[in-house]
Amino acid sequence: MRGRRAENLTNDAAACYHCGMEEFRHSHALGQNFLTDRNLLAAIVADADVKSGDTVIEVGAGQGALTRPLAMTGARVFAFEIDGRLEGCLRELEKEYPALTVVMGDFMKSDAAALAAGPYKAVANLPYYITTPVLFRLLDDPMCEGVTVMVQKEVAERIVARPGGKDYGVLSVSAQLAGRPRITRTVGRQMFTPPPNVDSAVVHIDVCRRGDEKTAAVVRAAFSMRRKTLINCLAPVWGKSAAASAIEALGLDPAVRGERLSPEQYIELAKLL
């Protein structure tokens, strides 16, 4: 192989998990770190509470290691994969499970809600480089009723972080406004092929959705300049006087910063603004 594509491939070659494709080389550019431990894969499906009759969207099907136990539940599964080298492998898996649909393409450019045609659960071993945009998209989708994802451990800790800590930020508040996130298990880097440089964790979010678009706008503004006070972060959009009045009405210190407010306080702040 020559050129840019060759530069994006690791030296880790292994047979494909499902179809035995020889000398598959994992792509750094696509964040390919695959799970193969069947017990762990089954546990992720259990964490997601996937049942027969459910609709599931999987982002980054890879070699189909997680796709298979999802399909085995009897759920209707839409498995997205962007790497065309894996299409043959996934099509073979598709033949085994009539309710499995392989979608070769970029999930971020798809109309997932139209594809699912109703409520769905999202389950994925997410490539690290697209974790945050995929999570925001899922949490913003009114048809998504549950999210269970393998992510970098540091990101998992940010998702469940409480107000006042260094990990608490836009992702924390957004996830906690969208639902009830919890870390269900941690996963060492040795469980992946090839092993990444960091450990991972599985996060499950029961989606219940609180707040609205205005709440989301307030949260984004509050963390836009993390070292500044909340009033100064909100002032460019709502004006300093309105920001100060809203913060006072909440009984907060005028010098408070965005990382001190709970998701519930952000809902109230948005109403006041």
Side-chain angles (χ1 to χ4, degrees):
M1 303 182 70
R2 298 191 181 102
R4 181 178 297 275
R5 179 165 179 169
E7 293 173 0
N8 287 335
L9 300 178
T10 74
N11 290 323
D12 299 288
C16 177
Y17 173 82
H18 172 65
C19 67
M21 179 199 304
E22 294 297 333
E23 295 298 304
F24 178 81
R25 295 187 180 274
H26 300 78
S27 168
H28 278 308
L30 297 178
Q32 289 177 334
N33 302 97
F34 297 152
L35 287 168
T36 57
D37 185 280
R38 286 176 170 79
N39 290 330
L40 176 57
L41 292 162
I44 294 171
V45 174
D47 289 343
D49 192 27
V50 175
K51 304 180 294 295
S52 178
D54 286 343
T55 297
V56 176
I57 287 182
E58 182 191 8
V59 183
Q63 297 172 324
L66 182 57
T67 313
R68 179 184 287 278
L70 285 170
M72 288 173 64
T73 64
R76 183 168 167 248
V77 179
F78 294 94
F80 281 82
E81 176 52 50
I82 201 170
D83 189 346
R85 297 176 301 153
L86 293 167
E87 182 171 8
C89 173
L90 292 170
R91 294 297 180 199
E92 288 299 313
L93 189 59
E94 190 177 41
K95 293 176 184 177
E96 295 184 38
Y97 299 96
L100 168 63
T101 300
V102 173
V103 183
M104 297 304 299
D106 187 345
F107 168 76
M108 294 299 292
K109 296 178 181 178
S110 72
D111 189 347
L115 188 66
Y120 67 87
K121 297 175 180 178
V123 186
N125 172 24
L126 284 178
Y128 293 157
Y129 78 103
I130 60 165
T131 294
T132 301
V134 168
L135 280 174
F136 276 120
R137 176 163 184 199
L138 292 170
L139 295 175
D140 286 343
D141 187 345
M143 289 294 101
C144 181
E145 59 183 9
V147 177
T148 306
V149 288
M150 176 85 73
V151 297
Q152 188 174 336
K153 186 180 178 185
E154 177 182 302
V155 174
E157 290 169 346
R158 284 166 48 202
I159 291 171
V160 302
R162 305 308 300 165
K166 63 180 178 63
D167 293 329
Y168 190 71
V170 174
L171 183 58
S172 317
V173 181
S174 299
Q176 292 167 38
L177 284 171
R180 296 178 293 274
R182 58 189 174 88
I183 296 174
T184 60
R185 64 193 70 248
T186 56
V187 180
R189 62 196 76 183
Q190 73 279 1
M191 300 294 288
F192 295 84
T193 301
N197 295 323
V198 294
D199 293 329
S200 299
V202 178
V203 176
H204 176 73
I205 305 173
D206 285 315
V207 176
C208 57
R209 290 194 178 80
R210 301 174 293 163
D212 52 21
E213 290 183 8
K214 189 166 187 178
T215 306
V218 171
V219 172
R220 288 193 297 270
F223 290 95
S224 61
M225 298 175 284
R226 192 164 182 126
R227 294 187 179 182
K228 293 195 174 185
T229 64
L230 182 57
I231 288 177
N232 286 331
C233 289
L234 300 177
V237 182
W238 291 278
K240 196 161 189 174
S241 176
S245 296
I247 289 169
E248 181 182 5
L250 284 176
L252 299 171
D253 187 323
V256 71
R257 299 182 190 275
E259 63 263 27
R260 307 301 304 185
L261 274 68
S262 68
E264 292 75 18
Q265 287 175 312
Y266 273 110
I267 293 173
E268 294 306 314
L269 181 60
K271 291 177 182 176
L272 290 166
L273 288 170

